[in-house]
Amino acid sequence: MKNWLITSGAVYQYFDVSSPIYSDHNMQNAAGFVQGDFKKNKLGISTGLRYEGFKTDQGSFNFQPNFRFGSNYKLAKANYLRASIGQADRTPSIAERFINTSIPGLFFIPNPELTSESGWTAELGFKQGLKLGKWKGMFDVAGFIQEYENMIEFAFDSLQIVDLFAGDISLGFTGTNVGQSRITGIETSIMGQGKI
């Protein structure tokens, strides 16, 4: 397969936590992946697949495939156009699911039912090389969109108001799946170097 570089591998991680804040839990992560990188003349392509699963305590592994694709093209001597799209899943951490602590008037309450985030992101960008005398630099602009299902954040829940200290009412925060979220934007940057 001329012009292709293939990379593959596997990952396994085991975490064991014993803490007064999170109590005793363990988490396992297992994944296999393959990526292909193609380069010919002015065109570069990268594509990959990762099959990954997580398991917490006595639960079962929940495996999900995630795909990514990216390309870049050299338009001219110092002009580059790029595009990418990719998927991802994120399992809630032990801290997000099992935190159980407080400071005066504020409680963090465990939520073992917290589910994984999943989503995708896409980007289209342009890079322009710059030269002014002995100064060299680069200008970059990119538009992006990110979309998530079951995004996780710590939030106040009126159902989580608790009464723990002789009738004192305190606020409770817990890890929550907030549903579907979309983030869009444009990023620009300019940088350079030279001698003064």
Side-chain angles (χ1 to χ4, degrees), residues 104-107 156 160-172:
L106 185 63
F107 292 83
F156 169 71
Q160 297 289 355
I161 295 177
V162 291
D163 181 2
L164 295 180
F165 295 126
D168 291 339
I169 301 299
S170 300
L171 301 180

Side-chain angles (χ1 to χ4, degrees), residues 67 84-89 118-123 144-149 180-183:
F67 174 76
S84 66
I85 187 166
Q87 298 172 300
D89 289 296
S118 62
W120 60 271
T121 183
E123 179 184 276
F144 65 90
I145 180 170
Q146 298 172 322
E147 195 159 298
Y148 298 94
E149 291 284 342
Q180 189 171 2
S181 303
R182 176 178 290 175
I183 302 167

Side-chain angles (χ1 to χ4, degrees), residues 3 5 49-50 62 64 73 77 102 105 121 136 166 177 181:
N3 302 319
L5 174 65
L49 178 68
R50 183 178 179 95
N62 181 18
Q64 295 288 333
Y73 187 78
K77 185 177 180 181
S102 66
T121 183
K136 295 181 181 179
N177 293 110
S181 303

Side-chain angles (χ1 to χ4, degrees), residues 23-164:
S23 66
D24 298 338
H25 297 281
N26 63 70
M27 179 180 274
Q28 298 176 62
N29 168 232
F33 63 90
V34 61
Q35 177 171 307
D37 294 290
F38 173 84
K39 179 72 174 170
K40 186 173 182 181
N41 300 327
K42 298 179 179 182
L43 177 66
I45 294 174
S46 179
T47 185
L49 178 68
R50 183 178 179 95
Y51 193 66
E52 184 170 33
F54 288 88
K55 175 182 175 182
T56 303
D57 294 332
Q58 302 306 313
S60 58
F61 273 102
N62 181 18
F63 283 93
Q64 295 288 333
N66 287 301
F67 174 76
R68 63 177 295 271
F69 175 83
S71 66
N72 60 68
Y73 187 78
K74 187 176 181 180
L75 298 171
K77 185 177 180 181
N79 306 97
Y80 299 88
L81 184 66
R82 70 180 182 278
S84 66
I85 187 166
Q87 298 172 300
D89 289 296
R90 189 179 77 82
T91 295
S93 68
I94 288 174
E96 288 171 319
R97 291 180 68 188
F98 300 111
I99 188 169
N100 189 2
T101 190
S102 66
I103 57 176
L106 185 63
F107 292 83
F108 292 91
I109 302 162
N111 181 4
E113 305 304 316
L114 203 57
T115 60
S116 296
E117 294 179 345
S118 62
W120 60 271
T121 183
E123 179 184 276
L124 180 64
F126 175 76
K127 184 186 292 185
Q128 170 68 58
L130 306 170
K131 186 174 182 181
L132 182 61
K134 294 184 178 181
W135 286 77
K136 295 181 181 179
M138 178 269 298
F139 170 76
D140 188 274
V141 61
F144 65 90
I145 180 170
Q146 298 172 322
E147 195 159 298
Y148 298 94
E149 291 284 342
N150 295 321
M151 191 172 187
I152 298 169
E153 68 176 29
F154 274 90
F156 169 71
D157 187 338
S158 60
L159 297 176
Q160 297 289 355
I161 295 177
V162 291
D163 181 2
L164 295 180

